[in-house]
Amino acid sequence: MKLIRWIKETAVYRSIFRLPDVETERDRAASHWSSFLMHIYPVKVQRRELRFGYSAFLGVASLVLFGSLTISGIYLMFFYVPSPGTAYSDIQSIQTNIAFGQYIRNVHRWSAHVMVIAVAAHMARVFYRGAYKPPKEFNWVIGVVLLVLTLLLSFTGYLLPWDQLAFWAVTVGTSMASYVPVVGDVTKEILLGGPSVGSATLIRFYVLHVALLPAILAFLIAIHLWRWRKDSMLTVDPPPPGEEPAAETELVIAGEG
Ligand code: HEM
């Protein structure tokens, strides 16, 4: 503890973290809003909002999984070329020759599966709590788009190993898309880049998977979190008319134990 206190008093530490000495409630609040990472949270929140039982941290879990997918995906991009001649062998090589290749590929696959479950469960939790009601209806709509993007990321990633499973899954998936009235055939043509799955499809899915969809998802997540913060964080049921808020709805101040 003495060492930590000594480090915190050094000029180097103070030049990086310009925090006041925490003595009063106001100091505590000031150290909170002057921090880059912490200022997204309000200075005061209701204690029960922070409980695991309230939100099961499913939105946060979805966010962490998106982070895990981004980091593991960037690693895989170093060793994968999206061309029919190399895609399959690149995946084999990642599995066998590349340092941590099999591990990182599994992290990427499992994070993708678990993210789909986490996002769907988060949506169910939001519905159960009635958190889609005004003023949060806009965030609900953004959330629906986030779910669709998450599913599209899974679908586009499925083709990249370029094996039989991937080939036929995308053949079936895009054939299903062609049954959508009016826009079906055009959508299939745009996705495949030709009459059937081929090299044009692979590069299209790759660009969608590593650039376009993640960029839109990251942008919308930023809006989602900003809206969540502005709409006073989580939805907490108000006490019945005429009743005082229960003790557990007391406010906690940033930094308090
Ligand atoms: C990539 C997917 C998503 C991410 C990363 C994400 C992230 C988050 C986070 C971190 C929170 C606050 C904490 C929590 O509730 O756990 C939140 C709240 C919320 N999310 Fe999501 N979310 C996603 C998808 C969705 C979906 C699919 C919906 C619904 C269709 C949705 C609707 C909402 C709403 C309405 C809130 C406010 C909850 C409240 O007021 O209690 N989100 N989201």
Side-chain angles (χ1 to χ4, degrees):
M1 287 313 271
K2 267 188 181 169
L3 180 67
I4 292 175
R5 209 172 305 138
W6 178 81
I7 292 174
K8 284 187 167 178
E9 278 167 15
T10 57
V12 174
Y13 183 92
R14 283 182 169 263
S15 70
I16 300 170
F17 303 101
R18 292 173 209 174
L19 304 178
D21 293 329
V22 178
E23 279 163 18
T24 63
E25 277 195 0
R26 198 183 148 69
D27 295 339
R28 221 178 271 141
S31 63
H32 189 87
W33 68 63
S34 60
S35 154
F36 173 70
L37 287 177
M38 295 302 287
H39 86 273
I40 187 174
Y41 292 109
V43 169
K44 292 184 173 194
V45 292
Q46 301 210 22
R47 193 180 288 279
R48 65 176 174 168
E49 282 186 53
L50 302 177
R51 295 217 178 120
F52 176 80
Y54 201 77
S55 66
F57 303 156
L58 286 164
V60 176
S62 312
L63 193 64
V64 170
L65 287 162
F66 180 56
S68 152
L69 281 159
T70 308
I71 295 168
S72 54
I74 289 173
Y75 188 76
L76 294 175
M77 278 172 74
F78 283 112
F79 311 107
Y80 176 83
V81 177
S83 140
T86 53
Y88 181 76
S89 56
D90 282 353
I91 297 284
Q92 300 307 310
S93 152
I94 286 172
Q95 293 275 112
T96 50
N97 291 337
I98 306 296
F100 304 109
Q102 189 173 28
Y103 171 71
I104 300 287
R105 187 180 174 213
N106 278 332
V107 166
H108 197 73
R109 267 190 105 91
W110 280 101
S111 298
H113 296 323
V114 179
M115 184 171 167
V116 171
I117 297 169
V119 173
H122 170 59
M123 186 177 187
R125 193 289 296 177
V126 166
F127 184 75
Y128 170 70
R129 289 277 175 197
Y132 54 84
K133 292 179 192 162
K136 303 197 171 183
E137 69 276 36
F138 177 66
N139 226 8
W140 172 264
V141 175
I142 298 262
V144 173
V145 181
L146 289 178
L147 177 68
V148 172
L149 287 171
T150 307
L151 296 175
L152 282 176
L153 271 163
S154 278
F155 183 60
T156 49
Y158 211 78
L159 182 67
L160 304 186
W162 203 242
D163 52 12
Q164 286 292 316
L165 196 63
F167 185 89
W168 292 109
V170 172
T171 302
V172 172
T174 47
S175 299
M176 282 162 68
S178 72
Y179 285 99
V180 175
V182 188
V183 291
D185 284 331
V186 180
T187 310
K188 183 182 171 190
E189 185 79 27
I190 291 174
L191 280 175
L192 293 183
S196 59
V197 177
S199 59
T201 323
L202 184 56
I203 191 69
R204 277 169 200 223
F205 273 49
Y206 180 74
V207 172
L208 284 172
H209 188 76
V210 306
L212 194 60
L213 295 175
I216 301 174
L217 191 70
F219 177 67
L220 289 183
I221 288 177
I223 295 184
H224 192 63
L225 296 182
W226 171 76
R227 216 41 276 171
W228 166 56
R229 168 79 171 78
K230 293 292 168 193
D231 291 340
S232 66
M233 313 288 281
L234 295 184
T235 302
V236 178
D237 305 330
E243 265 185 41
E244 287 292 305
E248 60 174 359
T249 63
E250 81 196 73
L251 298 169
V252 280
I253 296 167
E256 230 179 29

